[in-house]
Amino acid sequence: MQPPEPDARKLLSTDAPMTRIVDPARLAALRESGLMEAGSEEALERLARMAATLLRAPLAQVNFIDDERQFSKSCFAPVDWPGVRDTSLEDSFCKHTVISGEPLIVDDARTHPLVSRSAAVDMGVIAYAGIPLTMADGHTFGTLCVVGFEPRRWTDQEILMLRDLAASVVTEIELRREIARGEQVQSALRQQASLLELAHDCILVRDLNGIIRFWNGGAERVYGWSRDEAIGASSHQLLGTSGPKSLEEIEQEMLRDGLWDGELVHRTRDGSEI
């Protein structure tokens, strides 16, 4: 049984569904992904080619929708096709899948109430099957779609294959997003480490076992031990930590209250106390 089409009467009678298109969170996630930028994606190109081949369609695309346009990131067309990469929202078939979150299956666009007036019909788009690309966070970025230039009755098996390929497209996009997030985190950590390293103050980081994990230039200047000598060493053994409270008491306060404020006596490399 074919998936239900979006309710054409409802979508035609109100602008409310467009709120999903212009949702700030969706747009931010889409733009952060970089998918709306020019440049081919080999994995997405491969999946578009598979869709065209398996469904025997003259055209297959991976399209993304922002608040202004439909952008074709990947397009496989074994026939002569003008290769339009940008489409206005007014003429977009794919926007309806983003609005509804459901597949849009069109046997003959010339008689379909949602798309019959689209300029794409004048370009020869007659049959269309589009599956929404919905991410793990619930945002629908666009569609994987196949197009025919003649009326066509899409079979249940064809729609199922298109769904499976769309799931693969989503997996590729999520992988790309995870890699991008990882790069952003690494960049932030490198920037933070650079700021700590350049700080005039003495900054050192020890783990709960007392092992020194970070030792900046200020610590080298104040204590006298180089970074290579300090990192990995026991802070208690290296610095001879003493004070009115033991390290164990201080750790318990920090774990309980989230902070500790007080004084410790440390030993520098030349034996001086600070």
PDB file of all heavy atoms in Angstrom, residues 132-154:
ATOM      1  N   PRO A 132      11.159  12.158   2.538  1.00  0.00           N
ATOM      2  CA  PRO A 132      11.795  13.163   3.395  1.00  0.00           C
ATOM      3  C   PRO A 132      13.074  12.642   4.038  1.00  0.00           C
ATOM      4  O   PRO A 132      13.169  11.470   4.404  1.00  0.00           O
ATOM      5  CB  PRO A 132      10.722  13.464   4.447  1.00  0.00           C
ATOM      6  CG  PRO A 132       9.846  12.257   4.455  1.00  0.00           C
ATOM      7  CD  PRO A 132       9.846  11.727   3.060  1.00  0.00           C
ATOM      8  N   LEU A 133      14.039  13.531   4.149  1.00  0.00           N
ATOM      9  CA  LEU A 133      15.300  13.229   4.829  1.00  0.00           C
ATOM     10  C   LEU A 133      15.223  13.835   6.228  1.00  0.00           C
ATOM     11  O   LEU A 133      15.518  15.012   6.440  1.00  0.00           O
ATOM     12  CB  LEU A 133      16.477  13.809   4.041  1.00  0.00           C
ATOM     13  CG  LEU A 133      16.609  13.325   2.594  1.00  0.00           C
ATOM     14  CD1 LEU A 133      17.727  14.075   1.881  1.00  0.00           C
ATOM     15  CD2 LEU A 133      16.835  11.817   2.533  1.00  0.00           C
ATOM     16  N   THR A 134      14.774  13.032   7.173  1.00  0.00           N
ATOM     17  CA  THR A 134      14.552  13.497   8.539  1.00  0.00           C
ATOM     18  C   THR A 134      15.690  13.020   9.431  1.00  0.00           C
ATOM     19  O   THR A 134      15.954  11.819   9.532  1.00  0.00           O
ATOM     20  CB  THR A 134      13.210  13.001   9.089  1.00  0.00           C
ATOM     21  OG1 THR A 134      12.159  13.469   8.218  1.00  0.00           O
ATOM     22  CG2 THR A 134      12.955  13.534  10.488  1.00  0.00           C
ATOM     23  N   MET A 135      16.354  13.968  10.082  1.00  0.00           N
ATOM     24  CA  MET A 135      17.515  13.673  10.896  1.00  0.00           C
ATOM     25  C   MET A 135      17.124  13.125  12.269  1.00  0.00           C
ATOM     26  O   MET A 135      15.956  13.130  12.645  1.00  0.00           O
ATOM     27  CB  MET A 135      18.359  14.944  11.079  1.00  0.00           C
ATOM     28  CG  MET A 135      18.798  15.599   9.773  1.00  0.00           C
ATOM     29  SD  MET A 135      19.865  14.552   8.765  1.00  0.00           S
ATOM     30  CE  MET A 135      18.759  14.159   7.408  1.00  0.00           C
ATOM     31  N   ALA A 136      18.116  12.664  12.996  1.00  0.00           N
ATOM     32  CA  ALA A 136      17.874  12.096  14.319  1.00  0.00           C
ATOM     33  C   ALA A 136      17.270  13.119  15.276  1.00  0.00           C
ATOM     34  O   ALA A 136      16.550  12.758  16.211  1.00  0.00           O
ATOM     35  CB  ALA A 136      19.178  11.541  14.894  1.00  0.00           C
ATOM     36  N   ASP A 137      17.552  14.414  15.044  1.00  0.00           N
ATOM     37  CA  ASP A 137      17.002  15.459  15.914  1.00  0.00           C
ATOM     38  C   ASP A 137      15.591  15.880  15.507  1.00  0.00           C
ATOM     39  O   ASP A 137      15.025  16.807  16.081  1.00  0.00           O
ATOM     40  CB  ASP A 137      17.925  16.676  15.949  1.00  0.00           C
ATOM     41  CG  ASP A 137      18.212  17.247  14.554  1.00  0.00           C
ATOM     42  OD1 ASP A 137      17.494  16.879  13.599  1.00  0.00           O
ATOM     43  OD2 ASP A 137      19.159  18.051  14.429  1.00  0.00           O
ATOM     44  N   GLY A 138      15.019  15.212  14.486  1.00  0.00           N
ATOM     45  CA  GLY A 138      13.652  15.497  14.070  1.00  0.00           C
ATOM     46  C   GLY A 138      13.518  16.514  12.964  1.00  0.00           C
ATOM     47  O   GLY A 138      12.422  16.718  12.449  1.00  0.00           O
ATOM     48  N   HIS A 139      14.601  17.164  12.575  1.00  0.00           N
ATOM     49  CA  HIS A 139      14.538  18.164  11.513  1.00  0.00           C
ATOM     50  C   HIS A 139      14.577  17.490  10.146  1.00  0.00           C
ATOM     51  O   HIS A 139      15.425  16.637   9.890  1.00  0.00           O
ATOM     52  CB  HIS A 139      15.696  19.151  11.626  1.00  0.00           C
ATOM     53  CG  HIS A 139      15.696  19.941  12.891  1.00  0.00           C
ATOM     54  ND1 HIS A 139      14.593  20.646  13.330  1.00  0.00           N
ATOM     55  CD2 HIS A 139      16.669  20.134  13.824  1.00  0.00           C
ATOM     56  CE1 HIS A 139      14.885  21.250  14.467  1.00  0.00           C
ATOM     57  NE2 HIS A 139      16.131  20.949  14.794  1.00  0.00           N
ATOM     58  N   THR A 140      13.659  17.891   9.268  1.00  0.00           N
ATOM     59  CA  THR A 140      13.653  17.389   7.901  1.00  0.00           C
ATOM     60  C   THR A 140      14.404  18.375   7.027  1.00  0.00           C
ATOM     61  O   THR A 140      13.985  19.517   6.861  1.00  0.00           O
ATOM     62  CB  THR A 140      12.214  17.200   7.393  1.00  0.00           C
ATOM     63  OG1 THR A 140      11.537  16.269   8.234  1.00  0.00           O
ATOM     64  CG2 THR A 140      12.213  16.661   5.966  1.00  0.00           C
ATOM     65  N   PHE A 141      15.514  17.919   6.446  1.00  0.00           N
ATOM     66  CA  PHE A 141      16.374  18.797   5.662  1.00  0.00           C
ATOM     67  C   PHE A 141      15.937  18.907   4.213  1.00  0.00           C
ATOM     68  O   PHE A 141      16.150  19.930   3.572  1.00  0.00           O
ATOM     69  CB  PHE A 141      17.818  18.280   5.695  1.00  0.00           C
ATOM     70  CG  PHE A 141      18.564  18.623   6.960  1.00  0.00           C
ATOM     71  CD1 PHE A 141      17.964  19.315   7.993  1.00  0.00           C
ATOM     72  CD2 PHE A 141      19.894  18.257   7.111  1.00  0.00           C
ATOM     73  CE1 PHE A 141      18.647  19.634   9.151  1.00  0.00           C
ATOM     74  CE2 PHE A 141      20.603  18.572   8.254  1.00  0.00           C
ATOM     75  CZ  PHE A 141      19.978  19.263   9.282  1.00  0.00           C
ATOM     76  N   GLY A 142      15.360  17.845   3.664  1.00  0.00           N
ATOM     77  CA  GLY A 142      15.004  17.849   2.251  1.00  0.00           C
ATOM     78  C   GLY A 142      14.490  16.497   1.831  1.00  0.00           C
ATOM     79  O   GLY A 142      13.803  15.820   2.609  1.00  0.00           O
ATOM     80  N   THR A 143      14.833  16.073   0.612  1.00  0.00           N
ATOM     81  CA  THR A 143      14.311  14.807   0.099  1.00  0.00           C
ATOM     82  C   THR A 143      15.347  14.083  -0.759  1.00  0.00           C
ATOM     83  O   THR A 143      16.266  14.691  -1.311  1.00  0.00           O
ATOM     84  CB  THR A 143      13.078  15.012  -0.801  1.00  0.00           C
ATOM     85  OG1 THR A 143      13.487  15.669  -2.008  1.00  0.00           O
ATOM     86  CG2 THR A 143      12.003  15.810  -0.132  1.00  0.00           C
ATOM     87  N   LEU A 144      15.134  12.791  -0.861  1.00  0.00           N
ATOM     88  CA  LEU A 144      15.676  12.007  -1.960  1.00  0.00           C
ATOM     89  C   LEU A 144      14.495  11.778  -2.885  1.00  0.00           C
ATOM     90  O   LEU A 144      13.463  11.244  -2.458  1.00  0.00           O
ATOM     91  CB  LEU A 144      16.228  10.669  -1.476  1.00  0.00           C
ATOM     92  CG  LEU A 144      16.596   9.671  -2.587  1.00  0.00           C
ATOM     93  CD1 LEU A 144      17.731  10.206  -3.452  1.00  0.00           C
ATOM     94  CD2 LEU A 144      16.948   8.309  -1.999  1.00  0.00           C
ATOM     95  N   CYS A 145      14.616  12.190  -4.139  1.00  0.00           N
ATOM     96  CA  CYS A 145      13.476  12.080  -5.047  1.00  0.00           C
ATOM     97  C   CYS A 145      13.894  11.517  -6.394  1.00  0.00           C
ATOM     98  O   CYS A 145      15.057  11.620  -6.804  1.00  0.00           O
ATOM     99  CB  CYS A 145      12.786  13.432  -5.235  1.00  0.00           C
ATOM    100  SG  CYS A 145      13.773  14.651  -6.135  1.00  0.00           S
ATOM    101  N   VAL A 146      12.945  10.893  -7.049  1.00  0.00           N
ATOM    102  CA  VAL A 146      13.114  10.449  -8.432  1.00  0.00           C
ATOM    103  C   VAL A 146      12.011  11.103  -9.255  1.00  0.00           C
ATOM    104  O   VAL A 146      10.910  11.373  -8.763  1.00  0.00           O
ATOM    105  CB  VAL A 146      13.044   8.914  -8.555  1.00  0.00           C
ATOM    106  CG1 VAL A 146      14.293   8.273  -7.994  1.00  0.00           C
ATOM    107  CG2 VAL A 146      11.806   8.358  -7.876  1.00  0.00           C
ATOM    108  N   VAL A 147      12.326  11.353 -10.532  1.00  0.00           N
ATOM    109  CA  VAL A 147      11.426  12.109 -11.403  1.00  0.00           C
ATOM    110  C   VAL A 147      11.249  11.355 -12.716  1.00  0.00           C
ATOM    111  O   VAL A 147      12.191  10.748 -13.234  1.00  0.00           O
ATOM    112  CB  VAL A 147      12.017  13.519 -11.665  1.00  0.00           C
ATOM    113  CG1 VAL A 147      11.267  14.237 -12.780  1.00  0.00           C
ATOM    114  CG2 VAL A 147      12.001  14.346 -10.388  1.00  0.00           C
ATOM    115  N   GLY A 148      10.033  11.417 -13.233  1.00  0.00           N
ATOM    116  CA  GLY A 148       9.747  10.880 -14.552  1.00  0.00           C
ATOM    117  C   GLY A 148       9.160  11.957 -15.440  1.00  0.00           C
ATOM    118  O   GLY A 148       8.515  12.895 -14.950  1.00  0.00           O
ATOM    119  N   PHE A 149       9.374  11.841 -16.745  1.00  0.00           N
ATOM    120  CA  PHE A 149       8.889  12.843 -17.685  1.00  0.00           C
ATOM    121  C   PHE A 149       7.613  12.405 -18.395  1.00  0.00           C
ATOM    122  O   PHE A 149       7.155  13.058 -19.327  1.00  0.00           O
ATOM    123  CB  PHE A 149       9.977  13.163 -18.710  1.00  0.00           C
ATOM    124  CG  PHE A 149      11.258  13.665 -18.066  1.00  0.00           C
ATOM    125  CD1 PHE A 149      12.493  13.206 -18.486  1.00  0.00           C
ATOM    126  CD2 PHE A 149      11.206  14.595 -17.042  1.00  0.00           C
ATOM    127  CE1 PHE A 149      13.657  13.666 -17.896  1.00  0.00           C
ATOM    128  CE2 PHE A 149      12.361  15.065 -16.439  1.00  0.00           C
ATOM    129  CZ  PHE A 149      13.601  14.599 -16.865  1.00  0.00           C
ATOM    130  N   GLU A 150       7.041  11.320 -17.892  1.00  0.00           N
ATOM    131  CA  GLU A 150       5.752  10.833 -18.372  1.00  0.00           C
ATOM    132  C   GLU A 150       4.942  10.378 -17.165  1.00  0.00           C
ATOM    133  O   GLU A 150       5.511  10.077 -16.106  1.00  0.00           O
ATOM    134  CB  GLU A 150       5.940   9.659 -19.345  1.00  0.00           C
ATOM    135  CG  GLU A 150       6.681  10.009 -20.627  1.00  0.00           C
ATOM    136  CD  GLU A 150       6.876   8.797 -21.517  1.00  0.00           C
ATOM    137  OE1 GLU A 150       6.511   7.671 -21.077  1.00  0.00           O
ATOM    138  OE2 GLU A 150       7.395   8.953 -22.638  1.00  0.00           O
ATOM    139  N   PRO A 151       3.610  10.325 -17.275  1.00  0.00           N
ATOM    140  CA  PRO A 151       2.821   9.812 -16.153  1.00  0.00           C
ATOM    141  C   PRO A 151       3.282   8.414 -15.763  1.00  0.00           C
ATOM    142  O   PRO A 151       3.641   7.604 -16.620  1.00  0.00           O
ATOM    143  CB  PRO A 151       1.390   9.799 -16.709  1.00  0.00           C
ATOM    144  CG  PRO A 151       1.408  10.809 -17.799  1.00  0.00           C
ATOM    145  CD  PRO A 151       2.774  10.728 -18.415  1.00  0.00           C
ATOM    146  N   ARG A 152       3.280   8.169 -14.458  1.00  0.00           N
ATOM    147  CA  ARG A 152       3.794   6.878 -13.988  1.00  0.00           C
ATOM    148  C   ARG A 152       3.137   6.510 -12.664  1.00  0.00           C
ATOM    149  O   ARG A 152       3.010   7.352 -11.775  1.00  0.00           O
ATOM    150  CB  ARG A 152       5.303   6.945 -13.810  1.00  0.00           C
ATOM    151  CG  ARG A 152       5.929   5.719 -13.166  1.00  0.00           C
ATOM    152  CD  ARG A 152       7.425   5.793 -13.226  1.00  0.00           C
ATOM    153  NE  ARG A 152       8.052   4.683 -12.532  1.00  0.00           N
ATOM    154  CZ  ARG A 152       9.357   4.436 -12.545  1.00  0.00           C
ATOM    155  NH1 ARG A 152      10.181   5.221 -13.218  1.00  0.00           N
ATOM    156  NH2 ARG A 152       9.853   3.401 -11.888  1.00  0.00           N
ATOM    157  N   ARG A 153       2.765   5.272 -12.540  1.00  0.00           N
ATOM    158  CA  ARG A 153       2.228   4.758 -11.291  1.00  0.00           C
ATOM    159  C   ARG A 153       3.364   4.094 -10.518  1.00  0.00           C
ATOM    160  O   ARG A 153       3.868   3.033 -10.899  1.00  0.00           O
ATOM    161  CB  ARG A 153       1.124   3.725 -11.576  1.00  0.00           C
ATOM    162  CG  ARG A 153       0.500   3.109 -10.330  1.00  0.00           C
ATOM    163  CD  ARG A 153      -0.289   4.123  -9.535  1.00  0.00           C
ATOM    164  NE  ARG A 153      -0.968   3.526  -8.385  1.00  0.00           N
ATOM    165  CZ  ARG A 153      -1.615   4.207  -7.475  1.00  0.00           C
ATOM    166  NH1 ARG A 153      -1.722   5.525  -7.586  1.00  0.00           N
ATOM    167  NH2 ARG A 153      -2.195   3.601  -6.460  1.00  0.00           N
ATOM    168  N   TRP A 154       3.796   4.752  -9.442  1.00  0.00           N
ATOM    169  CA  TRP A 154       4.892   4.214  -8.646  1.00  0.00           C
ATOM    170  C   TRP A 154       4.397   3.016  -7.842  1.00  0.00           C
ATOM    171  O   TRP A 154       3.354   3.084  -7.193  1.00  0.00           O
ATOM    172  CB  TRP A 154       5.440   5.280  -7.704  1.00  0.00           C
ATOM    173  CG  TRP A 154       5.902   6.528  -8.395  1.00  0.00           C
ATOM    174  CD1 TRP A 154       5.201   7.696  -8.531  1.00  0.00           C
ATOM    175  CD2 TRP A 154       7.158   6.732  -9.048  1.00  0.00           C
ATOM    176  NE1 TRP A 154       5.936   8.624  -9.223  1.00  0.00           N
ATOM    177  CE2 TRP A 154       7.156   8.059  -9.562  1.00  0.00           C
ATOM    178  CE3 TRP A 154       8.283   5.941  -9.263  1.00  0.00           C
ATOM    179  CZ2 TRP A 154       8.225   8.605 -10.252  1.00  0.00           C
ATOM    180  CZ3 TRP A 154       9.351   6.477  -9.947  1.00  0.00           C
ATOM    181  CH2 TRP A 154       9.327   7.789 -10.440  1.00  0.00           C
TER     182      TRP A 154
END
